[in-house]
Amino acid sequence: MSGAPLLAAENLVKTYNGAPALSGVSLTVRPGESVAVMGASGSGKTTLLHCLAGIVQPDAGRVRLFRDAALPVEVTALKDDARSALRRRDFGFVFQQGLLIPELTAGENVALALMLGGTERRQAEQAAAGALAALGLAGMEGRRIGELSGGQAQRVAIARAQVTGARMLFADEPTGALDSSTSAEVMRLLLQTVQGSGRALMVVTHDSEVARWCGRVITLADGVVVADTAGASGVRR
Ligand SMILES: Nc1ncnc2c1ncn2[C@@H]1O[C@H](COP(=O)(O)OP(=O)(O)O)[C@@H](O)[C@H]1O
Ligand SMILES: [Mg+2]
């Protein structure tokens, strides 16, 4: 796909206790792209996603975010505080489970993402209700996470990931705990948030069905990219 990058990684290297998890990964993600990351267990998928998202610092290499095409932010050069702030503002996360706070309601979980960025509570709750309604959860903002089905909880996670206006969404096995029809629905909603929005999605998955719905599939083996191809749903230029 042509056009300006949104996120670019160069030569990422990460070693854990002498064992390489990433051995020189370079890739560019552009607005509008949906990228599946596949590979055997232990191939470095989660490490790559965490390095790209500024959760883990690579030992070498750099990650740049092109919030402004002419003025990229070097994520890997930021101190911890600045990286946390960038994560809250520019990145959205949907993980298999565990990121939603079970004691809070659906609306509070989504509103919290905005409040952490400084939005006032009432305004955050209004925006949260709107984001939930757009994902088919109108009127459910008062339910606690435990009172929702797995698919509904993932929709809350999607709402939370997108309500801040973050342009880069990361998902790690977002459908890993769901049955196949709920998986399809969650993936449809995730991909819908990317289409025509200037956002991009990177989704780690074991599920080749999930990968097929993405525009591009990157395959890792032993910490290196061994394939980077168009998915069934998209044409890569
Ligand atoms: N926090 C960590 N501490 C030590 N080793 C880790 C850690 N995270 C990942 N690893 C190791 O790095 C390699 C890649 O792991 P990971 O990125 O989680 O792979 P995947 O997501 O593809 O299953 C594995 O050998 C794993 O054991
Ligand atoms: Mg993993």
Side-chain angles (χ1 to χ4, degrees):
M1 190 178 276
S2 57
L6 178 57
L7 192 73
E10 292 155 58
N11 259 309
L12 295 178
V13 172
K14 180 71 186 176
T15 297
Y16 288 111
N17 312 316
L22 291 180
S23 304
V25 171
S26 300
L27 59 87
T28 300
V29 179
R30 296 185 167 80
E33 275 195 305
S34 52
V35 184
V37 178
M38 298 199 77
S41 182
S43 58
K45 304 182 296 295
T46 295
T47 305
L48 172 61
L49 192 136
H50 285 182
C51 286
L52 292 174
I55 295 168
V56 162
Q57 271 290 57
D59 302 330
R62 68 171 177 174
V63 175
R64 287 181 300 160
L65 172 70
F66 293 78
R67 189 192 280 147
D68 171 343
L71 198 71
V73 182
E74 194 166 334
V75 180
T76 35
L78 299 176
K79 293 199 194 321
D80 284 356
D81 284 1
R83 256 186 310 131
S84 301
L86 179 135
R87 277 202 303 274
R88 282 198 297 271
R89 169 179 152 176
D90 292 294
F91 296 151
F93 298 95
V94 179
F95 290 156
Q96 185 172 331
Q97 53 207 19
L99 266 189
L100 296 170
I101 301 170
E103 290 81 7
L104 299 183
T105 65
E108 287 166 340
N109 268 280
V110 177
L112 188 59
L114 286 169
M115 289 163 68
L116 287 171
T119 305
E120 173 257 329
R121 183 181 190 112
R122 246 175 54 103
Q123 202 184 330
E125 283 178 346
Q126 262 172 24
L132 288 167
L135 289 162
L137 297 179
M140 295 204 194
E141 53 279 0
R143 296 240 199 129
R144 280 178 214 294
I145 301 307
E147 297 166 351
L148 297 172
S149 70
Q152 287 170 336
Q154 279 308 58
R155 285 194 257 169
V156 175
I158 295 170
R160 192 202 40 197
Q162 56 182 219
V163 75
T164 58
R167 290 180 62 201
M168 184 69 219
L169 303 187
F170 294 100
D172 196 349
E173 304 279 4
T175 63
L178 305 177
D179 63 58
S180 62
S181 70
T182 311
S183 288
E185 179 64 7
V186 165
M187 277 306 295
R188 189 181 67 75
L189 291 167
L190 265 174
L191 292 168
Q192 192 177 299
T193 66
V194 166
Q195 277 151 13
S197 68
R199 288 184 168 124
L201 168 70
M202 176 171 277
V203 50
V204 167
T205 184
H206 275 107
D207 187 340
S208 55
E209 188 72 5
V210 166
R212 269 188 347 105
W213 294 322
C214 293
R216 176 179 169 195
V217 182
I218 289 175
T219 308
L220 290 183
D222 296 329
V224 298
V225 174
V226 293
D228 186 344
T229 59
S233 70
V235 180
R236 191 157 175 246
R237 283 154 292 178

